[in-house]
Coordinates of all heavy atoms in Angstrom, one line a residue:
M1 N 0.4 23.2 -18.7 CA -0.9 23.6 -18.4 C -1.4 22.7 -17.2 O -1.2 21.5 -17.2 CB -1.8 23.4 -19.6 CG -3.2 23.9 -19.4 SD -4.0 24.3 -20.9 CE -4.8 22.8 -21.3
L2 N -2.1 23.3 -16.3 CA -2.7 22.5 -15.2 C -4.2 22.3 -15.4 O -4.9 23.0 -16.0 CB -2.5 23.3 -13.9 CG -1.0 23.6 -13.5 CD1 -1.0 24.4 -12.2 CD2 -0.3 22.3 -13.2
A3 N -4.6 21.2 -14.8 CA -6.1 20.8 -14.9 C -6.5 20.5 -13.5 O -5.8 20.0 -12.6 CB -6.3 19.6 -15.7
N4 N -7.8 20.8 -13.2 CA -8.3 20.5 -11.9 C -9.0 19.1 -11.9 O -9.6 18.7 -12.9 CB -9.4 21.5 -11.5 CG -8.8 22.9 -11.1 OD1 -7.7 22.9 -10.5 ND2 -9.5 23.9 -11.4
I5 N -8.9 18.4 -10.8 CA -9.6 17.1 -10.6 C -10.4 17.3 -9.3 O -9.9 17.6 -8.3 CB -8.6 16.0 -10.5 CG1 -7.8 15.8 -11.7 CG2 -9.4 14.7 -10.1 CD1 -6.7 14.8 -11.7
N6 N -11.7 16.9 -9.3 CA -12.5 16.9 -8.1 C -12.8 15.5 -7.7 O -13.3 14.7 -8.6 CB -13.9 17.6 -8.4 CG -13.6 19.1 -8.7 OD1 -12.9 19.8 -7.9 ND2 -14.3 19.6 -9.7
I7 N -12.5 15.1 -6.5 CA -12.7 13.8 -6.0 C -13.5 13.8 -4.7 O -13.2 14.6 -3.8 CB -11.3 13.1 -5.7 CG1 -10.5 13.1 -7.0 CG2 -11.5 11.7 -5.1 CD1 -9.0 12.6 -6.8
K8 N -14.5 13.0 -4.6 CA -15.2 12.8 -3.4 C -14.7 11.6 -2.6 O -14.4 10.6 -3.2 CB -16.7 12.6 -3.7 CG -17.4 13.8 -4.3 CD -18.9 13.7 -4.4 CE -19.5 14.9 -5.0 NZ -20.1 15.8 -4.1
T9 N -14.5 11.8 -1.3 CA -14.0 10.8 -0.4 C -14.5 11.0 1.0 O -15.0 12.0 1.3 CB -12.4 10.7 -0.5 OG1 -12.0 9.5 0.2 CG2 -11.8 11.9 0.3
D10 N -14.4 9.9 1.8 CA -14.8 10.0 3.2 C -14.0 11.0 3.9 O -12.8 11.1 3.7 CB -14.6 8.6 3.8 CG -14.9 8.5 5.2 OD1 -16.1 8.4 5.5 OD2 -14.0 8.6 6.1
S11 N -14.7 11.9 4.7 CA -14.0 13.0 5.4 C -12.9 12.5 6.3 O -11.9 13.1 6.5 CB -15.0 13.9 6.1 OG -15.7 13.2 7.0
E12 N -13.2 11.4 7.0 CA -12.2 10.9 8.0 C -10.9 10.3 7.2 O -9.8 10.6 7.6 CB -12.8 9.8 8.9 CG -11.8 9.2 9.9 CD -11.3 10.3 10.9 OE1 -12.0 11.3 11.2 OE2 -10.2 10.1 11.4
L13 N -11.2 9.7 6.1 CA -10.1 9.2 5.3 C -9.2 10.4 4.8 O -8.0 10.3 4.8 CB -10.6 8.4 4.1 CG -9.6 7.9 3.1 CD1 -8.5 7.0 3.7 CD2 -10.3 7.2 1.9
K14 N -9.9 11.4 4.3 CA -9.2 12.6 3.9 C -8.3 13.2 5.0 O -7.2 13.5 4.7 CB -10.2 13.6 3.4 CG -9.5 14.9 2.9 CD -10.6 15.9 2.4 CE -10.0 17.2 1.8 NZ -9.8 18.2 2.8
K15 N -8.9 13.3 6.2 CA -8.1 13.9 7.3 C -6.9 13.0 7.6 O -5.8 13.5 7.8 CB -9.0 14.0 8.5 CG -8.4 14.7 9.7 CD -9.2 14.8 11.0 CE -10.6 14.4 10.9 NZ -11.2 14.5 12.2
Q16 N -7.1 11.7 7.6 CA -5.9 10.8 7.9 C -4.9 10.9 6.8 O -3.7 10.9 7.1 CB -6.4 9.3 8.0 CG -7.3 9.1 9.2 CD -7.9 7.7 9.2 OE1 -7.8 6.9 8.3 NE2 -8.6 7.4 10.3
A17 N -5.3 10.9 5.5 CA -4.4 11.1 4.4 C -3.6 12.4 4.4 O -2.4 12.4 4.3 CB -5.1 10.9 3.0
E18 N -4.3 13.5 4.7 CA -3.6 14.8 4.8 C -2.6 14.8 5.9 O -1.5 15.3 5.8 CB -4.7 15.9 5.1 CG -5.5 16.2 3.9 CD -6.6 17.2 4.1 OE1 -7.2 17.2 5.2 OE2 -6.9 18.0 3.2
S19 N -2.9 14.1 7.1 CA -2.0 14.0 8.2 C -0.7 13.2 7.8 O 0.4 13.7 8.0 CB -2.6 13.4 9.4 OG -1.7 13.2 10.4
L20 N -0.9 12.1 7.1 CA 0.2 11.3 6.7 C 1.0 12.0 5.7 O 2.3 12.1 5.8 CB -0.4 10.0 6.0 CG 0.7 9.2 5.2 CD1 1.8 8.6 6.2 CD2 0.0 8.1 4.4
F21 N 0.4 12.6 4.7 CA 1.2 13.4 3.6 C 1.9 14.5 4.2 O 3.1 14.8 3.9 CB 0.3 13.8 2.5 CG -0.4 12.6 1.8 CD1 -1.7 12.8 1.3 CD2 0.2 11.4 1.7 CE1 -2.3 11.7 0.6 CE2 -0.4 10.3 1.0 CZ -1.7 10.5 0.5
S22 N 1.3 15.2 5.2 CA 2.0 16.3 5.9 C 3.2 15.8 6.6 O 4.3 16.4 6.5 CB 1.0 17.0 6.9 OG 1.7 18.0 7.6
D23 N 3.1 14.7 7.3 CA 4.3 14.1 7.9 C 5.4 13.7 6.9 O 6.6 13.7 7.3 CB 3.9 12.8 8.7 CG 3.1 13.1 10.0 OD1 3.0 14.3 10.4 OD2 2.5 12.2 10.5
L24 N 5.0 13.4 5.7 CA 5.9 13.1 4.7 C 6.4 14.3 3.9 O 7.2 14.2 3.0 CB 5.3 12.1 3.7 CG 5.0 10.7 4.3 CD1 4.2 9.9 3.3 CD2 6.2 10.0 4.7
G25 N 6.0 15.5 4.3 CA 6.4 16.8 3.7 C 5.7 17.1 2.4 O 6.3 17.8 1.6
M26 N 4.5 16.7 2.2 CA 3.8 17.0 1.0 C 2.3 17.3 1.3 O 1.8 16.9 2.4 CB 4.0 15.9 0.0 CG 3.3 14.6 0.3 SD 3.6 13.3 -0.9 CE 5.2 12.7 -0.4
N27 N 1.6 17.8 0.3 CA 0.2 18.0 0.4 C -0.5 17.0 -0.4 O 0.1 16.1 -1.1 CB -0.2 19.4 0.1 CG 0.2 19.8 -1.4 OD1 0.3 18.9 -2.2 ND2 0.3 21.1 -1.6
M28 N -1.8 17.0 -0.4 CA -2.7 16.0 -1.1 C -2.4 16.1 -2.6 O -2.3 15.1 -3.2 CB -4.1 16.3 -0.8 CG -5.1 15.2 -1.3 SD -5.1 13.7 -0.4 CE -6.0 14.2 1.1
T29 N -2.2 17.3 -3.1 CA -2.0 17.4 -4.6 C -0.7 16.8 -5.0 O -0.6 16.0 -6.0 CB -2.0 18.9 -4.9 OG1 -3.2 19.5 -4.7 CG2 -1.6 19.1 -6.4
T30 N 0.4 17.0 -4.2 CA 1.7 16.4 -4.5 C 1.6 14.9 -4.4 O 2.1 14.1 -5.3 CB 2.7 16.9 -3.6 OG1 2.8 18.3 -3.7 CG2 4.1 16.3 -3.9
A31 N 0.9 14.3 -3.4 CA 0.8 12.9 -3.2 C 0.0 12.3 -4.4 O 0.4 11.2 -4.9 CB 0.1 12.6 -1.9
F32 N -1.1 12.9 -4.8 CA -1.9 12.4 -5.8 C -1.1 12.4 -7.2 O -1.2 11.5 -8.0 CB -3.2 13.1 -6.0 CG -4.2 12.4 -6.9 CD1 -4.8 11.2 -6.6 CD2 -4.5 13.0 -8.1 CE1 -5.6 10.6 -7.4 CE2 -5.4 12.4 -9.0 CZ -5.9 11.2 -8.6
N33 N -0.3 13.5 -7.4 CA 0.5 13.6 -8.6 C 1.5 12.5 -8.6 O 1.8 11.9 -9.7 CB 1.1 15.0 -8.7 CG 0.1 15.9 -9.4 OD1 -0.4 15.7 -10.5 ND2 -0.1 17.0 -8.7
I34 N 2.1 12.2 -7.5 CA 3.1 11.1 -7.4 C 2.4 9.8 -7.8 O 3.0 9.0 -8.5 CB 3.7 11.0 -6.0 CG1 4.7 12.2 -5.7 CG2 4.5 9.7 -5.8 CD1 5.1 12.3 -4.3
F35 N 1.2 9.6 -7.2 CA 0.5 8.3 -7.5 C 0.2 8.2 -9.0 O 0.5 7.2 -9.7 CB -0.8 8.3 -6.8 CG -1.8 7.3 -7.3 CD1 -1.7 5.9 -7.0 CD2 -2.9 7.7 -8.1 CE1 -2.5 5.0 -7.5 CE2 -3.7 6.7 -8.6 CZ -3.6 5.4 -8.3
M36 N -0.3 9.3 -9.6 CA -0.6 9.3 -11.1 C 0.6 9.1 -11.9 O 0.6 8.3 -12.9 CB -1.3 10.6 -11.5 CG -2.7 10.7 -10.9 SD -3.7 12.0 -11.7 CE -2.7 13.4 -11.3
R37 N 1.7 9.8 -11.6 CA 3.0 9.6 -12.4 C 3.5 8.1 -12.3 O 3.9 7.6 -13.3 CB 4.1 10.5 -11.9 CG 3.8 12.0 -12.2 CD 4.9 12.9 -11.6 NE 4.6 14.2 -11.7 CZ 4.6 15.0 -12.8 NH1 5.1 14.5 -13.9 NH2 4.3 16.3 -12.7
Q38 N 3.4 7.6 -11.1 CA 3.8 6.2 -11.0 C 2.9 5.2 -11.8 O 3.4 4.3 -12.4 CB 3.9 5.8 -9.5 CG 4.6 4.5 -9.2 CD 6.0 4.5 -9.5 OE1 6.7 5.6 -9.5 NE2 6.6 3.3 -9.7
A39 N 1.6 5.5 -11.7 CA 0.7 4.6 -12.4 C 0.9 4.7 -13.9 O 1.0 3.7 -14.6 CB -0.8 5.1 -12.1
V40 N 1.2 5.9 -14.4 CA 1.4 6.1 -15.9 C 2.8 5.4 -16.2 O 2.9 4.7 -17.3 CB 1.4 7.6 -16.3 CG1 2.0 7.8 -17.7 CG2 0.0 8.1 -16.1
R41 N 3.8 5.6 -15.4 CA 5.1 5.0 -15.6 C 5.0 3.5 -15.7 O 5.7 2.9 -16.6 CB 6.1 5.4 -14.5 CG 7.5 5.0 -14.8 CD 8.5 5.5 -13.7 NE 8.5 6.9 -13.6 CZ 8.1 7.6 -12.5 NH1 7.7 7.0 -11.4 NH2 8.1 8.9 -12.5
E42 N 4.3 2.9 -14.8 CA 4.2 1.4 -14.7 C 3.1 0.9 -15.6 O 2.9 -0.3 -15.8 CB 4.0 1.0 -13.3 CG 5.2 1.3 -12.4 CD 5.0 0.7 -11.0 OE1 4.1 -0.1 -10.8 OE2 5.7 1.2 -10.1
N43 N 2.2 1.7 -16.1 CA 1.0 1.4 -16.9 C 0.1 0.4 -16.2 O -0.4 -0.6 -16.7 CB 1.5 0.7 -18.2 CG 0.4 0.7 -19.3 OD1 -0.4 1.7 -19.3 ND2 0.4 -0.3 -20.1
R44 N 0.0 0.7 -14.9 CA -0.9 -0.1 -14.0 C -1.1 0.7 -12.7 O -0.4 1.7 -12.4 CB -0.3 -1.4 -13.7 CG 1.0 -1.4 -12.9 CD 1.6 -2.8 -12.6 NE 2.7 -2.7 -11.7 CZ 2.6 -2.8 -10.4 NH1 1.4 -3.1 -9.8 NH2 3.6 -2.7 -9.6
I45 N -2.0 0.2 -11.8 CA -2.1 0.7 -10.5 C -0.8 0.3 -9.8 O -0.5 -0.9 -9.8 CB -3.3 0.1 -9.7 CG1 -4.7 0.4 -10.5 CG2 -3.4 0.6 -8.3 CD1 -5.0 1.9 -10.5
P46 N -0.1 1.3 -9.2 CA 1.3 0.9 -8.7 C 1.3 0.2 -7.4 O 2.3 0.3 -6.7 CB 1.9 2.3 -8.6 CG 0.8 3.2 -8.3 CD -0.4 2.7 -9.1
F47 N 0.3 -0.6 -7.1 CA 0.3 -1.4 -5.9 C -0.7 -2.5 -6.1 O -1.6 -2.4 -7.0 CB 0.0 -0.7 -4.6 CG -1.1 0.3 -4.7 CD1 -2.4 -0.2 -4.5 CD2 -1.0 1.6 -5.0 CE1 -3.5 0.6 -4.6 CE2 -2.1 2.5 -5.0 CZ -3.3 2.0 -4.8
E48 N -0.6 -3.6 -5.4 CA -1.5 -4.7 -5.5 C -2.8 -4.4 -4.8 O -2.9 -3.9 -3.7 CB -0.9 -6.0 -4.8 CG -1.7 -7.2 -5.0 CD -1.0 -8.4 -4.4 OE1 0.1 -8.3 -3.9 OE2 -1.7 -9.5 -4.4
I49 N -3.9 -4.7 -5.5 CA -5.3 -4.5 -5.0 C -5.8 -5.9 -4.8 O -6.0 -6.7 -5.7 CB -6.1 -3.7 -5.9 CG1 -5.5 -2.3 -6.1 CG2 -7.6 -3.6 -5.3 CD1 -6.3 -1.5 -7.2
T50 N -6.1 -6.2 -3.5 CA -6.6 -7.6 -3.2 C -7.8 -7.5 -2.3 O -8.1 -6.5 -1.7 CB -5.6 -8.4 -2.5 OG1 -5.2 -7.8 -1.3 CG2 -4.3 -8.6 -3.4
R51 N -8.6 -8.5 -2.3 CA -9.7 -8.6 -1.3 C -9.2 -8.8 0.1 O -9.7 -8.2 1.0 CB -10.6 -9.8 -1.8 CG -11.9 -9.9 -0.9 CD -12.8 -10.9 -1.5 NE -14.0 -11.0 -0.7 CZ -14.9 -11.8 -1.0 NH1 -14.9 -12.6 -2.0 NH2 -16.0 -11.9 -0.2
D52 N -8.2 -9.7 0.2 CA -7.6 -10.0 1.5 C -6.2 -9.3 1.5 O -5.5 -9.4 0.5 CB -7.3 -11.5 1.7 CG -8.3 -12.2 2.5 OD1 -8.9 -11.5 3.4 OD2 -8.4 -13.4 2.3
P53 N -5.9 -8.5 2.5 CA -4.6 -7.8 2.5 C -3.4 -8.8 2.5 O -2.3 -8.6 2.1 CB -4.6 -7.0 3.7 CG -5.7 -7.5 4.6 CD -6.7 -8.2 3.7
Y54 N -3.7 -10.0 3.1 CA -2.6 -11.0 3.1 C -3.3 -12.4 3.0 O -3.8 -12.9 4.0 CB -1.8 -10.9 4.4 CG -0.5 -11.6 4.2 CD1 0.6 -11.0 3.6 CD2 -0.3 -12.9 4.6 CE1 1.8 -11.6 3.5 CE2 0.9 -13.6 4.4 CZ 2.0 -12.9 3.9 OH 3.2 -13.5 3.7
S55 N -3.2 -13.0 1.8 CA -3.9 -14.2 1.6 C -3.0 -15.4 2.0 O -1.8 -15.3 2.2 CB -4.2 -14.4 0.1 OG -3.0 -14.6 -0.6
L56 N -3.7 -16.5 2.3 CA -3.0 -17.8 2.6 C -2.0 -18.2 1.5 O -0.9 -18.6 1.7 CB -4.0 -18.9 2.8 CG -3.4 -20.3 3.1 CD1 -2.5 -20.2 4.4 CD2 -4.5 -21.3 3.4
E57 N -2.5 -18.0 0.2 CA -1.6 -18.3 -0.9 C -0.3 -17.5 -0.9 O 0.8 -18.0 -1.1 CB -2.4 -18.0 -2.2 CG -1.6 -18.3 -3.5 CD -2.4 -18.0 -4.7 OE1 -3.4 -18.6 -4.9 OE2 -2.0 -17.1 -5.5
K58 N -0.4 -16.2 -0.5 CA 0.8 -15.3 -0.4 C 1.6 -15.8 0.7 O 2.9 -15.8 0.6 CB 0.4 -13.9 -0.3 CG 1.6 -13.0 -0.2 CD 1.3 -11.5 -0.5 CE 2.4 -10.5 -0.3 NZ 3.7 -11.0 -0.4
A59 N 1.0 -16.2 1.8 CA 1.8 -16.6 3.0 C 2.6 -17.9 2.7 O 3.7 -18.0 3.1 CB 0.8 -16.9 4.2
V60 N 1.9 -18.8 1.9 CA 2.6 -20.0 1.5 C 3.8 -19.7 0.6 O 4.9 -20.1 0.8 CB 1.7 -21.0 0.9 CG1 2.4 -22.2 0.2 CG2 0.7 -21.6 1.9
H61 N 3.5 -18.8 -0.4 CA 4.6 -18.4 -1.3 C 5.7 -17.7 -0.5 O 6.9 -18.0 -0.8 CB 4.0 -17.4 -2.3 CG 5.1 -16.8 -3.2 ND1 5.7 -15.6 -2.9 CD2 5.6 -17.3 -4.4 CE1 6.6 -15.4 -3.8 NE2 6.6 -16.3 -4.7
D62 N 5.4 -16.8 0.4 CA 6.5 -16.1 1.1 C 7.3 -17.1 2.0 O 8.5 -17.0 2.1 CB 5.9 -15.0 2.0 CG 5.4 -13.8 1.2 OD1 5.7 -13.8 0.0 OD2 4.8 -12.9 1.8
S63 N 6.6 -18.1 2.6 CA 7.3 -19.0 3.4 C 8.3 -19.9 2.5 O 9.3 -20.2 3.0 CB 6.4 -19.9 4.2 OG 5.6 -20.8 3.3
R64 N 7.8 -20.2 1.3 CA 8.7 -21.0 0.4 C 9.8 -20.3 -0.1 O 10.9 -20.8 -0.3 CB 7.8 -21.6 -0.7 CG 6.9 -22.7 -0.2 CD 6.2 -23.3 -1.4 NE 5.3 -24.4 -0.9 CZ 4.2 -24.8 -1.4 NH1 3.7 -24.2 -2.5 NH2 3.5 -25.8 -0.9
T65 N 9.6 -19.0 -0.4 CA 10.7 -18.1 -1.0 C 11.4 -17.4 0.1 O 12.4 -16.6 -0.2 CB 10.1 -17.1 -2.0 OG1 9.2 -16.3 -1.3 CG2 9.4 -17.9 -3.1
R66 N 11.0 -17.5 1.3 CA 11.6 -16.8 2.5 C 11.4 -15.3 2.4 O 12.2 -14.5 3.0 CB 13.0 -17.2 2.7 CG 13.2 -18.8 2.9 CD 14.3 -19.2 3.7 NE 14.6 -18.6 5.0 CZ 14.0 -18.9 6.1 NH1 13.0 -19.8 6.1 NH2 14.4 -18.3 7.2
T67 N 10.4 -14.9 1.6 CA 10.1 -13.4 1.5 C 9.3 -13.0 2.7 O 8.5 -13.7 3.2 CB 9.3 -13.2 0.3 OG1 10.0 -13.8 -0.8 CG2 9.1 -11.7 0.0
N68 N 9.6 -11.8 3.2 CA 8.9 -11.2 4.3 C 9.1 -11.9 5.6 O 8.3 -11.8 6.6 CB 7.4 -11.0 4.0 CG 7.2 -10.1 2.9 OD1 7.9 -9.1 2.8 ND2 6.2 -10.3 2.1
L69 N 10.0 -12.8 5.7 CA 10.3 -13.5 7.0 C 11.4 -12.8 7.8 O 12.4 -12.5 7.2 CB 10.6 -15.0 6.8 CG 9.6 -15.9 6.1 CD1 10.1 -17.3 5.9 CD2 8.3 -15.9 7.0
H70 N 11.2 -12.6 9.1 CA 12.1 -11.9 9.9 C 12.5 -12.7 11.1 O 12.7 -12.1 12.2 CB 11.6 -10.5 10.3 CG 11.0 -9.8 9.1 ND1 11.8 -9.2 8.2 CD2 9.8 -9.5 8.7 CE1 11.1 -8.6 7.2 NE2 9.8 -8.8 7.5
G71 N 12.5 -14.0 11.0 CA 12.7 -14.9 12.2 C 14.1 -14.8 12.8 O 14.8 -13.9 12.5
P72 N 14.4 -15.7 13.7 CA 13.7 -17.0 13.9 C 12.4 -16.8 14.7 O 12.2 -15.8 15.4 CB 14.7 -17.8 14.7 CG 15.5 -16.8 15.4 CD 15.6 -15.6 14.5
F73 N 11.5 -17.7 14.6 CA 10.2 -17.7 15.2 C 10.0 -18.9 16.1 O 10.5 -20.0 15.8 CB 9.1 -17.6 14.2 CG 9.2 -16.5 13.2 CD1 9.7 -16.7 12.0 CD2 8.9 -15.2 13.6 CE1 9.8 -15.6 11.1 CE2 9.0 -14.1 12.8 CZ 9.5 -14.4 11.5
S74 N 9.3 -18.7 17.2 CA 9.0 -19.9 18.1 C 7.8 -20.6 17.7 O 7.5 -21.7 18.2 CB 8.9 -19.4 19.5 OG 7.9 -18.4 19.6
S75 N 6.9 -20.1 16.7 CA 5.7 -20.8 16.3 C 5.3 -20.3 14.9 O 5.8 -19.2 14.5 CB 4.6 -20.5 17.3 OG 4.1 -19.2 17.2
A76 N 4.5 -21.1 14.3 CA 3.9 -20.6 13.0 C 3.1 -19.4 13.1 O 3.2 -18.5 12.2 CB 3.1 -21.8 12.4
E77 N 2.4 -19.2 14.2 CA 1.6 -18.0 14.4 C 2.5 -16.8 14.5 O 2.2 -15.7 13.9 CB 0.8 -18.1 15.7 CG -0.3 -19.1 15.7 CD 0.1 -20.6 15.9 OE1 1.3 -20.8 16.3 OE2 -0.7 -21.5 15.6
D78 N 3.7 -16.9 15.1 CA 4.6 -15.8 15.2 C 5.1 -15.4 13.8 O 5.3 -14.2 13.5 CB 5.8 -16.1 16.1 CG 5.4 -16.1 17.6 OD1 4.3 -15.6 17.9 OD2 6.2 -16.6 18.4
A79 N 5.4 -16.4 13.0 CA 5.9 -16.2 11.6 C 4.8 -15.5 10.8 O 5.1 -14.5 10.1 CB 6.3 -17.5 10.9
V80 N 3.6 -15.9 10.8 CA 2.5 -15.3 10.1 C 2.3 -13.9 10.6 O 2.1 -12.9 9.8 CB 1.2 -16.1 10.2 CG1 0.0 -15.3 9.6 CG2 1.3 -17.4 9.5
A81 N 2.3 -13.7 11.9 CA 2.1 -12.3 12.5 C 3.2 -11.4 12.0 O 2.9 -10.2 11.7 CB 2.2 -12.4 14.0
S82 N 4.4 -11.9 11.8 CA 5.5 -11.1 11.3 C 5.3 -10.7 9.9 O 5.5 -9.5 9.5 CB 6.8 -11.9 11.4 OG 7.9 -11.2 10.8
M83 N 4.7 -11.6 9.1 CA 4.4 -11.3 7.7 C 3.3 -10.3 7.6 O 3.3 -9.5 6.7 CB 4.1 -12.6 6.9 CG 5.3 -13.5 6.7 SD 4.9 -14.9 5.6 CE 4.3 -16.0 6.9
L84 N 2.4 -10.3 8.5 CA 1.2 -9.4 8.5 C 1.6 -8.0 8.8 O 0.9 -7.0 8.5 CB 0.1 -9.9 9.4 CG -0.6 -11.2 8.9 CD1 -1.5 -11.7 10.0 CD2 -1.3 -10.9 7.6
E85 N 2.8 -7.8 9.5 CA 3.2 -6.5 9.9 C 3.7 -5.7 8.8 O 3.9 -4.5 8.9 CB 4.4 -6.7 11.0 CG 3.9 -7.2 12.3 CD 5.1 -7.5 13.2 OE1 6.3 -7.2 12.8 OE2 4.9 -8.0 14.3
E86 N 3.9 -6.2 7.6 CA 4.5 -5.5 6.5 C 3.6 -4.3 6.1 O 2.5 -4.3 6.1 CB 4.6 -6.4 5.3 CG 5.7 -7.5 5.5 CD 7.1 -6.9 5.6 OE1 7.5 -6.2 4.6 OE2 7.8 -7.2 6.5

């Protein structure tokens, strides 16, 4: 059995999301169903929600664990810029 969901969102965001999903070969309904299935499977929002997209704490952690590093780098700024590209 199918159920309808009505969601209000910014029209520009909707247009951008529809374009992205179209490029990925799906429509908004399919993308939202994928999101909901993943959320239910993991019993959480299936991605990290943060105030800062890349915090200093995460940068320090990544540098210590060598996660998200794609060096060699000529400066610390280049290393941080590389981590922000993710």
Side-chain angles (χ1 to χ4, degrees):
M1 184 158 93
L2 298 176
N4 287 325
I5 298 174
N6 294 315
I7 300 171
K8 292 188 184 259
T9 190
D10 178 80
S11 60
E12 184 59 30
L13 176 61
K14 180 180 182 268
K15 186 182 348 174
Q16 291 172 356
E18 285 174 329
S19 176
L20 169 64
F21 300 146
S22 176
D23 288 349
L24 295 171
M26 66 183 83
N27 60 25
M28 187 76 73
T29 298
T30 301
F32 191 69
N33 277 305
I34 289 170
F35 165 78
M36 289 191 303
R37 288 177 194 281
Q38 190 70 21
V40 169
R41 185 177 301 119
E42 294 183 19
N43 201 31
R44 66 182 188 92
I45 300 294
F47 48 84
E48 185 178 356
I49 300 173
T50 63
R51 185 172 179 180
D52 261 335
Y54 200 84
S55 68
L56 178 58
E57 180 178 297
K58 182 165 176 17
V60 169
H61 173 267
D62 287 354
S63 69
R64 288 184 177 148
T65 61
R66 304 205 49 79
T67 307
N68 295 324
L69 294 178
H70 310 286
F73 304 103
S74 58
S75 69
E77 290 80 13
D78 289 346
V80 171
S82 173
M83 289 185 275
L84 292 173
E85 289 174 2
E86 293 292 309

